Amino acid sequence: MTNQSEMITDLVQKVVEQLAAKEKSSISQGDHPSADGMYDSVDVAVACAATAQKQLLKLSLKQREKIIASIRKACLENNEELAAFAIEDTGYGRYEDKVRENILCAEKTPGTEDLLPTAMTGDSGLALVEPAPVGVIGALTPITNPTGTLINNTISMVAAGNTVVFNPHPSAKATSAKMVALLHKAIVDAGGPPATITAIAEPTLDRAKEIINHPGINMLVATGGKPVVKAVLSSGKKAIGAGAGNPPALVDETANIRQAAECIVNGASINNNIFCICEKEVIVVEEVADSLIKFMVETGKAYLLNEAEEKKMTALVVTPDGKANPACIGKNVQKILAEIGVTVGEEYRLAIFRAPKDHPLVWKEQMMPVIPIVSVKDIDEAIDFAVEVEQGNRHTAIMHSTNVEHLSRFARAVQTTIFVKNGPCYAGIGLGGEGHTSFTIAGPTGEGLTSARSFTRARRCVLVEGFRII
């Protein structure tokens, strides 16, 4: 009896000590922002971010630009370490492509220069419209691009004068924590307030729901699949949703076939196809189908599956319930091919195969370097089928053609946010193509490739009967 009583006493004492420690930690963290931007509590993270946002607004635009410059510098200086860590942590992507991703986001994400005011003058005076901060943003980030998305979002959102509470994908929490700590230090070192960016140390679905419903969050941004986008759009708050895609690459009989082959191999294999903009299926007019496949193989980077290998591959990468096999997502083609008994050299980046229209990988966003090629009768059938397989995501489409009418017809029919002509998919996000980059491509909510101005609200200032000089 005595032993049992002592056990109960010890247990109670431990619980009391744990509660006291938790309360002390919460009070301490509530009074002082964390040193690395990571928080155990959503409430505390939001409170600290709200305080930081008030402090950020007191800084000049020149000081804000200094903060952005510090972020860019820190990301570029630590690029290789970040790329290697992300692949080790998530198991997704290729090292050399992660390096390119981080450089792209650090260098081609617009800063405060994106915040352009507009002015209207007339007999009644002057009206000035400026993009103003929304406040505290709650951002849900994906497993696929935990470095690029955090770099891109942080630059855009902070440049616009906001602070951020990130809830990273649980399977990328280590990379996200490392990324947030680096960004947080860069901001503070440049004179920015602590807690300008914050993140939840143990991100979960429940924590995501807390952020979505938190009264202190002024705006929501979700980068991921349809469920997470639907959740933020149902919140009743201003929300930006960057959803999934199933980008078709269409090749007609007028295309430069050798160039198209090179572009498709490079685009479909970048980061092992985990980018949502990547070519997910190829639709080619049958007149040039054999040539396209021949030239893809001749790049030395694409392995053509024979019929027996294609059957094994399909059984491997598509689960019985019709979904993409998680074990194959984002993996190097060598690893995937080894599972079906095929050994290839390190120079290979992609597996390709001829596919019927109803093949499951034609209709799935597979996010792995295994690409089906469907041949069709003519350009009319090609456009109709490409629109069908894009499935109304209105995300990205790619076309190789020298016929302006064909290009125009497909662009009007598919209505995607990104439409790449005669280049690899990644030209559409500024990698080898013109324009700024974004890793939050808001097709569902219409902002397109987001930038600082996407995370603002318009404010009008009116001067009556004054400052008209024409």
Side-chain angles (χ1 to χ4, degrees), residues 275-328:
F275 288 166
C276 53
I277 59 162
C278 282
E279 293 89 343
K280 305 297 182 186
E281 62 280 330
V282 178
I283 300 162
V284 56
V285 173
E286 62 185 7
E287 178 183 333
V288 293
D290 289 344
S291 295
L292 179 69
I293 292 171
K294 175 177 176 287
F295 290 145
M296 290 177 79
V297 171
E298 286 182 1
T299 66
K301 295 179 282 189
Y303 179 83
L304 177 62
L305 299 169
N306 61 37
E307 189 174 341
E309 291 166 343
E310 180 273 316
K311 284 182 169 51
K312 290 180 183 178
M313 180 63 77
T314 301
L316 171 67
V317 302
V318 181
T319 63
D321 59 352
K323 296 180 180 179
N325 182 353
C328 298

Short mmCIF file of all heavy atoms in Angstrom, two decimals, residues 275-328:
data_model
loop_
_atom_site.label_atom_id
_atom_site.label_comp_id
_atom_site.label_asym_id
_atom_site.label_seq_id
_atom_site.Cartn_x
_atom_site.Cartn_y
_atom_site.Cartn_z
N PHE A 275 8.12 19.30 -59.11
CA PHE A 275 7.50 20.60 -59.33
C PHE A 275 6.11 20.40 -59.92
O PHE A 275 5.91 19.58 -60.81
CB PHE A 275 8.32 21.44 -60.32
CG PHE A 275 9.62 21.96 -59.78
CD1 PHE A 275 10.57 22.48 -60.64
CD2 PHE A 275 9.91 21.94 -58.42
CE1 PHE A 275 11.78 22.98 -60.17
CE2 PHE A 275 11.11 22.42 -57.93
CZ PHE A 275 12.05 22.94 -58.81
N CYS A 276 5.17 21.20 -59.47
CA CYS A 276 3.81 21.09 -59.99
C CYS A 276 3.70 21.57 -61.44
O CYS A 276 2.72 21.27 -62.12
CB CYS A 276 2.84 21.89 -59.11
SG CYS A 276 3.34 23.61 -58.84
N ILE A 277 4.71 22.30 -61.91
CA ILE A 277 4.70 22.79 -63.29
C ILE A 277 5.27 21.78 -64.29
O ILE A 277 5.17 21.98 -65.49
CB ILE A 277 5.51 24.09 -63.42
CG1 ILE A 277 6.95 23.84 -62.98
CG2 ILE A 277 4.86 25.22 -62.64
CD1 ILE A 277 7.93 24.88 -63.46
N CYS A 278 5.87 20.71 -63.80
CA CYS A 278 6.58 19.77 -64.68
C CYS A 278 5.64 19.09 -65.68
O CYS A 278 4.47 18.82 -65.39
CB CYS A 278 7.26 18.68 -63.85
SG CYS A 278 8.79 19.20 -63.07
N GLU A 279 6.20 18.78 -66.84
CA GLU A 279 5.48 17.97 -67.82
C GLU A 279 5.11 16.63 -67.17
O GLU A 279 5.98 15.90 -66.71
CB GLU A 279 6.37 17.71 -69.04
CG GLU A 279 6.70 18.95 -69.86
CD GLU A 279 7.94 19.69 -69.41
OE1 GLU A 279 8.40 19.45 -68.26
OE2 GLU A 279 8.48 20.50 -70.18
N LYS A 280 3.82 16.33 -67.13
CA LYS A 280 3.38 15.07 -66.51
C LYS A 280 3.00 14.02 -67.55
O LYS A 280 2.95 12.84 -67.25
CB LYS A 280 2.17 15.32 -65.60
CG LYS A 280 2.39 16.36 -64.52
CD LYS A 280 3.47 16.00 -63.53
CE LYS A 280 3.63 17.06 -62.45
NZ LYS A 280 4.76 16.83 -61.56
N GLU A 281 2.66 14.46 -68.75
CA GLU A 281 2.36 13.54 -69.85
C GLU A 281 2.63 14.27 -71.16
O GLU A 281 2.54 15.51 -71.22
CB GLU A 281 0.92 13.04 -69.81
CG GLU A 281 -0.15 14.11 -69.95
CD GLU A 281 -0.45 14.85 -68.67
OE1 GLU A 281 -0.30 14.26 -67.59
OE2 GLU A 281 -0.81 16.05 -68.76
N VAL A 282 3.01 13.52 -72.18
CA VAL A 282 3.30 14.10 -73.49
C VAL A 282 2.22 13.64 -74.47
O VAL A 282 1.86 12.46 -74.51
CB VAL A 282 4.68 13.65 -74.01
CG1 VAL A 282 4.94 14.22 -75.41
CG2 VAL A 282 5.78 14.08 -73.04
N ILE A 283 1.69 14.59 -75.23
CA ILE A 283 0.69 14.30 -76.26
C ILE A 283 1.27 14.76 -77.59
O ILE A 283 1.56 15.95 -77.76
CB ILE A 283 -0.65 15.00 -75.95
CG1 ILE A 283 -1.19 14.52 -74.61
CG2 ILE A 283 -1.66 14.76 -77.07
CD1 ILE A 283 -2.23 15.42 -74.00
N VAL A 284 1.47 13.83 -78.49
CA VAL A 284 2.17 14.14 -79.73
C VAL A 284 1.38 13.67 -80.94
O VAL A 284 0.78 12.59 -80.93
CB VAL A 284 3.59 13.52 -79.73
CG1 VAL A 284 3.56 12.02 -79.50
CG2 VAL A 284 4.34 13.85 -81.01
N VAL A 285 1.35 14.48 -81.99
CA VAL A 285 0.70 14.11 -83.25
C VAL A 285 1.46 12.92 -83.83
O VAL A 285 2.70 12.93 -83.91
CB VAL A 285 0.69 15.30 -84.21
CG1 VAL A 285 0.18 14.88 -85.59
CG2 VAL A 285 -0.17 16.43 -83.65
N GLU A 286 0.74 11.86 -84.22
CA GLU A 286 1.36 10.59 -84.58
C GLU A 286 2.37 10.71 -85.72
O GLU A 286 3.31 9.92 -85.80
CB GLU A 286 0.29 9.55 -84.93
CG GLU A 286 -0.60 9.89 -86.11
CD GLU A 286 -1.71 8.87 -86.31
OE1 GLU A 286 -1.86 7.98 -85.45
OE2 GLU A 286 -2.43 8.98 -87.32
N GLU A 287 2.21 11.70 -86.57
CA GLU A 287 3.13 11.91 -87.69
C GLU A 287 4.58 12.08 -87.22
O GLU A 287 5.53 11.70 -87.93
CB GLU A 287 2.68 13.14 -88.49
CG GLU A 287 3.54 13.52 -89.66
CD GLU A 287 3.05 14.79 -90.35
OE1 GLU A 287 1.83 15.08 -90.27
OE2 GLU A 287 3.88 15.49 -90.95
N VAL A 288 4.76 12.66 -86.02
CA VAL A 288 6.12 12.91 -85.52
C VAL A 288 6.42 12.17 -84.22
O VAL A 288 7.45 12.42 -83.58
CB VAL A 288 6.36 14.43 -85.33
CG1 VAL A 288 6.34 15.15 -86.67
CG2 VAL A 288 5.32 15.03 -84.38
N ALA A 289 5.55 11.26 -83.83
CA ALA A 289 5.71 10.56 -82.55
C ALA A 289 7.00 9.75 -82.50
O ALA A 289 7.75 9.80 -81.51
CB ALA A 289 4.50 9.68 -82.28
N ASP A 290 7.27 8.97 -83.54
CA ASP A 290 8.48 8.14 -83.55
C ASP A 290 9.74 9.00 -83.47
O ASP A 290 10.69 8.66 -82.76
CB ASP A 290 8.52 7.26 -84.81
CG ASP A 290 7.48 6.15 -84.80
OD1 ASP A 290 6.93 5.87 -83.71
OD2 ASP A 290 7.21 5.57 -85.86
N SER A 291 9.74 10.10 -84.20
CA SER A 291 10.91 10.99 -84.19
C SER A 291 11.12 11.60 -82.81
O SER A 291 12.25 11.71 -82.32
CB SER A 291 10.74 12.10 -85.22
OG SER A 291 10.71 11.57 -86.52
N LEU A 292 10.03 12.01 -82.18
CA LEU A 292 10.14 12.61 -80.84
C LEU A 292 10.76 11.62 -79.86
O LEU A 292 11.69 11.96 -79.12
CB LEU A 292 8.76 13.05 -80.34
CG LEU A 292 8.76 13.67 -78.93
CD1 LEU A 292 9.48 15.02 -78.93
CD2 LEU A 292 7.35 13.82 -78.39
N ILE A 293 10.26 10.39 -79.85
CA ILE A 293 10.78 9.38 -78.93
C ILE A 293 12.24 9.07 -79.25
O ILE A 293 13.08 8.95 -78.34
CB ILE A 293 9.91 8.11 -78.99
CG1 ILE A 293 8.52 8.41 -78.41
CG2 ILE A 293 10.57 6.96 -78.23
CD1 ILE A 293 7.51 7.31 -78.61
N LYS A 294 12.56 8.97 -80.53
CA LYS A 294 13.95 8.70 -80.94
C LYS A 294 14.88 9.79 -80.43
O LYS A 294 15.96 9.50 -79.87
CB LYS A 294 14.01 8.62 -82.47
CG LYS A 294 15.41 8.47 -83.07
CD LYS A 294 15.32 8.33 -84.58
CE LYS A 294 16.69 8.26 -85.23
NZ LYS A 294 17.37 9.58 -85.24
N PHE A 295 14.48 11.04 -80.59
CA PHE A 295 15.34 12.15 -80.16
C PHE A 295 15.41 12.25 -78.63
O PHE A 295 16.44 12.67 -78.08
CB PHE A 295 14.85 13.47 -80.75
CG PHE A 295 15.07 13.60 -82.23
CD1 PHE A 295 14.16 14.27 -83.04
CD2 PHE A 295 16.19 13.05 -82.83
CE1 PHE A 295 14.37 14.40 -84.41
CE2 PHE A 295 16.42 13.17 -84.20
CZ PHE A 295 15.50 13.84 -84.99
N MET A 296 14.34 11.88 -77.94
CA MET A 296 14.38 11.87 -76.48
C MET A 296 15.41 10.85 -75.99
O MET A 296 16.20 11.13 -75.08
CB MET A 296 13.00 11.56 -75.90
CG MET A 296 11.98 12.68 -76.09
SD MET A 296 10.32 12.28 -75.49
CE MET A 296 10.52 12.52 -73.72
N VAL A 297 15.42 9.69 -76.61
CA VAL A 297 16.40 8.65 -76.25
C VAL A 297 17.81 9.13 -76.58
O VAL A 297 18.76 8.90 -75.82
CB VAL A 297 16.07 7.34 -76.97
CG1 VAL A 297 17.21 6.32 -76.77
CG2 VAL A 297 14.75 6.76 -76.47
N GLU A 298 17.96 9.82 -77.71
CA GLU A 298 19.28 10.28 -78.14
C GLU A 298 19.87 11.37 -77.25
O GLU A 298 21.07 11.65 -77.33
CB GLU A 298 19.22 10.77 -79.59
CG GLU A 298 19.10 9.64 -80.60
CD GLU A 298 19.10 10.14 -82.04
OE1 GLU A 298 19.21 11.38 -82.26
OE2 GLU A 298 18.98 9.30 -82.95
N THR A 299 19.07 11.97 -76.38
CA THR A 299 19.63 12.92 -75.42
C THR A 299 20.58 12.21 -74.45
O THR A 299 21.41 12.87 -73.80
CB THR A 299 18.53 13.61 -74.59
OG1 THR A 299 17.86 12.65 -73.77
CG2 THR A 299 17.54 14.34 -75.48
N GLY A 300 20.45 10.89 -74.34
CA GLY A 300 21.27 10.13 -73.41
C GLY A 300 20.78 10.22 -71.98
O GLY A 300 21.42 9.69 -71.06
N LYS A 301 19.62 10.86 -71.78
CA LYS A 301 19.09 11.05 -70.42
C LYS A 301 17.74 10.38 -70.20
O LYS A 301 17.21 10.38 -69.10
CB LYS A 301 18.97 12.55 -70.12
CG LYS A 301 20.31 13.27 -70.10
CD LYS A 301 20.18 14.75 -69.82
CE LYS A 301 19.73 15.54 -71.03
NZ LYS A 301 19.79 17.01 -70.82
N ALA A 302 17.17 9.82 -71.28
CA ALA A 302 15.83 9.20 -71.19
C ALA A 302 15.92 7.72 -71.55
O ALA A 302 16.45 7.36 -72.61
CB ALA A 302 14.85 9.91 -72.11
N TYR A 303 15.38 6.86 -70.67
CA TYR A 303 15.35 5.41 -70.92
C TYR A 303 13.96 5.03 -71.41
O TYR A 303 12.96 5.32 -70.75
CB TYR A 303 15.67 4.65 -69.63
CG TYR A 303 15.64 3.15 -69.82
CD1 TYR A 303 16.73 2.46 -70.33
CD2 TYR A 303 14.49 2.42 -69.51
CE1 TYR A 303 16.70 1.08 -70.52
CE2 TYR A 303 14.44 1.05 -69.69
CZ TYR A 303 15.55 0.39 -70.20
OH TYR A 303 15.51 -0.98 -70.40
N LEU A 304 13.91 4.40 -72.58
CA LEU A 304 12.63 3.98 -73.16
C LEU A 304 12.26 2.58 -72.67
O LEU A 304 12.98 1.60 -72.93
CB LEU A 304 12.72 3.99 -74.69
CG LEU A 304 11.48 3.50 -75.45
CD1 LEU A 304 10.27 4.39 -75.15
CD2 LEU A 304 11.76 3.45 -76.95
N LEU A 305 11.16 2.49 -71.95
CA LEU A 305 10.67 1.20 -71.45
C LEU A 305 10.07 0.39 -72.59
O LEU A 305 9.31 0.93 -73.41
CB LEU A 305 9.60 1.41 -70.38
CG LEU A 305 10.01 2.19 -69.10
CD1 LEU A 305 8.77 2.52 -68.29
CD2 LEU A 305 10.98 1.38 -68.27
N ASN A 306 10.39 -0.92 -72.63
CA ASN A 306 9.67 -1.78 -73.59
C ASN A 306 8.33 -2.17 -72.97
O ASN A 306 8.01 -1.80 -71.83
CB ASN A 306 10.51 -2.99 -73.98
CG ASN A 306 10.85 -3.88 -72.79
OD1 ASN A 306 10.04 -4.06 -71.89
ND2 ASN A 306 12.05 -4.47 -72.80
N GLU A 307 7.54 -2.92 -73.70
CA GLU A 307 6.18 -3.24 -73.26
C GLU A 307 6.15 -3.99 -71.94
O GLU A 307 5.36 -3.69 -71.04
CB GLU A 307 5.46 -4.05 -74.35
CG GLU A 307 3.97 -4.23 -74.07
CD GLU A 307 3.23 -4.92 -75.21
OE1 GLU A 307 3.77 -4.94 -76.34
OE2 GLU A 307 2.12 -5.41 -74.97
N ALA A 308 7.06 -4.97 -71.80
CA ALA A 308 7.09 -5.76 -70.56
C ALA A 308 7.53 -4.88 -69.38
O ALA A 308 6.97 -4.98 -68.27
CB ALA A 308 8.04 -6.94 -70.72
N GLU A 309 8.53 -4.03 -69.60
CA GLU A 309 9.01 -3.14 -68.53
C GLU A 309 7.95 -2.12 -68.15
O GLU A 309 7.80 -1.78 -66.97
CB GLU A 309 10.29 -2.43 -69.00
CG GLU A 309 11.48 -3.37 -69.12
CD GLU A 309 12.64 -2.74 -69.88
OE1 GLU A 309 12.42 -1.72 -70.58
OE2 GLU A 309 13.76 -3.27 -69.78
N GLU A 310 7.20 -1.66 -69.15
CA GLU A 310 6.13 -0.69 -68.85
C GLU A 310 5.08 -1.30 -67.94
O GLU A 310 4.59 -0.63 -67.02
CB GLU A 310 5.49 -0.23 -70.17
CG GLU A 310 4.36 0.77 -69.99
CD GLU A 310 3.00 0.10 -69.76
OE1 GLU A 310 2.71 -0.86 -70.49
OE2 GLU A 310 2.26 0.55 -68.86
N LYS A 311 4.74 -2.56 -68.16
CA LYS A 311 3.74 -3.22 -67.30
C LYS A 311 4.26 -3.34 -65.87
O LYS A 311 3.53 -3.09 -64.90
CB LYS A 311 3.40 -4.61 -67.86
CG LYS A 311 2.48 -4.56 -69.10
CD LYS A 311 2.15 -5.97 -69.58
CE LYS A 311 1.03 -5.98 -70.62
NZ LYS A 311 1.26 -5.06 -71.74
N LYS A 312 5.53 -3.70 -65.72
CA LYS A 312 6.12 -3.79 -64.38
C LYS A 312 6.17 -2.41 -63.73
O LYS A 312 5.91 -2.26 -62.53
CB LYS A 312 7.53 -4.36 -64.47
CG LYS A 312 7.61 -5.83 -64.84
CD LYS A 312 9.07 -6.29 -64.88
CE LYS A 312 9.20 -7.74 -65.33
NZ LYS A 312 10.62 -8.15 -65.42
N MET A 313 6.54 -1.43 -64.53
CA MET A 313 6.63 -0.07 -64.01
C MET A 313 5.27 0.44 -63.54
O MET A 313 5.15 1.01 -62.44
CB MET A 313 7.18 0.87 -65.08
CG MET A 313 7.31 2.33 -64.64
SD MET A 313 8.48 2.57 -63.29
CE MET A 313 10.03 2.44 -64.20
N THR A 314 4.24 0.22 -64.32
CA THR A 314 2.90 0.67 -63.94
C THR A 314 2.46 0.00 -62.65
O THR A 314 1.90 0.66 -61.75
CB THR A 314 1.90 0.37 -65.07
OG1 THR A 314 2.31 1.04 -66.26
CG2 THR A 314 0.50 0.84 -64.70
N ALA A 315 2.74 -1.30 -62.53
CA ALA A 315 2.37 -2.02 -61.30
C ALA A 315 3.12 -1.48 -60.10
O ALA A 315 2.61 -1.50 -58.97
CB ALA A 315 2.66 -3.52 -61.47
N LEU A 316 4.34 -0.98 -60.34
CA LEU A 316 5.15 -0.44 -59.24
C LEU A 316 4.69 0.95 -58.81
O LEU A 316 4.52 1.21 -57.61
CB LEU A 316 6.62 -0.38 -59.66
CG LEU A 316 7.57 0.37 -58.71
CD1 LEU A 316 7.71 -0.38 -57.39
CD2 LEU A 316 8.92 0.60 -59.38
N VAL A 317 4.49 1.84 -59.77
CA VAL A 317 4.30 3.25 -59.42
C VAL A 317 2.84 3.64 -59.20
O VAL A 317 2.57 4.73 -58.69
CB VAL A 317 4.92 4.18 -60.49
CG1 VAL A 317 6.40 3.89 -60.64
CG2 VAL A 317 4.20 4.08 -61.82
N VAL A 318 1.91 2.77 -59.57
CA VAL A 318 0.49 3.05 -59.34
C VAL A 318 -0.05 2.04 -58.33
O VAL A 318 0.03 0.83 -58.54
CB VAL A 318 -0.32 2.97 -60.65
CG1 VAL A 318 -1.79 3.30 -60.37
CG2 VAL A 318 0.24 3.94 -61.69
N THR A 319 -0.59 2.51 -57.23
CA THR A 319 -1.10 1.62 -56.18
C THR A 319 -2.42 1.00 -56.63
O THR A 319 -3.07 1.49 -57.57
CB THR A 319 -1.32 2.40 -54.88
OG1 THR A 319 -2.33 3.41 -55.10
CG2 THR A 319 -0.04 3.07 -54.40
N PRO A 320 -2.86 -0.09 -55.96
CA PRO A 320 -4.12 -0.73 -56.34
C PRO A 320 -5.33 0.20 -56.33
O PRO A 320 -6.29 -0.02 -57.07
CB PRO A 320 -4.26 -1.84 -55.28
CG PRO A 320 -2.86 -2.17 -54.89
CD PRO A 320 -2.13 -0.85 -54.92
N ASP A 321 -5.27 1.23 -55.49
CA ASP A 321 -6.40 2.18 -55.45
C ASP A 321 -6.21 3.34 -56.42
O ASP A 321 -6.92 4.35 -56.35
CB ASP A 321 -6.64 2.69 -54.03
CG ASP A 321 -5.44 3.39 -53.45
OD1 ASP A 321 -4.35 3.36 -54.07
OD2 ASP A 321 -5.57 3.99 -52.37
N GLY A 322 -5.21 3.21 -57.33
CA GLY A 322 -5.06 4.19 -58.40
C GLY A 322 -4.26 5.42 -58.08
O GLY A 322 -4.27 6.39 -58.84
N LYS A 323 -3.54 5.43 -56.97
CA LYS A 323 -2.76 6.59 -56.58
C LYS A 323 -1.28 6.38 -56.91
O LYS A 323 -0.84 5.25 -57.13
CB LYS A 323 -2.93 6.87 -55.09
CG LYS A 323 -4.35 7.24 -54.70
CD LYS A 323 -4.47 7.50 -53.22
CE LYS A 323 -5.91 7.87 -52.84
NZ LYS A 323 -6.05 8.11 -51.38
N ALA A 324 -0.52 7.46 -56.91
CA ALA A 324 0.92 7.36 -57.12
C ALA A 324 1.56 6.73 -55.90
O ALA A 324 1.25 7.10 -54.76
CB ALA A 324 1.50 8.73 -57.39
N ASN A 325 2.45 5.80 -56.13
CA ASN A 325 3.15 5.11 -55.04
C ASN A 325 4.07 6.10 -54.31
O ASN A 325 5.02 6.61 -54.90
CB ASN A 325 3.97 3.96 -55.61
CG ASN A 325 4.69 3.15 -54.54
OD1 ASN A 325 4.69 3.50 -53.37
ND2 ASN A 325 5.31 2.06 -54.95
N PRO A 326 3.82 6.38 -53.03
CA PRO A 326 4.63 7.35 -52.30
C PRO A 326 6.12 7.00 -52.27
O PRO A 326 6.97 7.88 -52.20
CB PRO A 326 4.04 7.32 -50.88
CG PRO A 326 2.67 6.77 -51.04
CD PRO A 326 2.74 5.82 -52.19
N ALA A 327 6.43 5.70 -52.33
CA ALA A 327 7.83 5.28 -52.29
C ALA A 327 8.60 5.69 -53.53
O ALA A 327 9.84 5.68 -53.52
CB ALA A 327 7.90 3.76 -52.11
N CYS A 328 7.91 6.04 -54.60
CA CYS A 328 8.56 6.42 -55.86
C CYS A 328 8.57 7.92 -56.11
O CYS A 328 9.30 8.40 -56.98
CB CYS A 328 7.87 5.71 -57.04
SG CYS A 328 7.95 3.91 -56.98
#
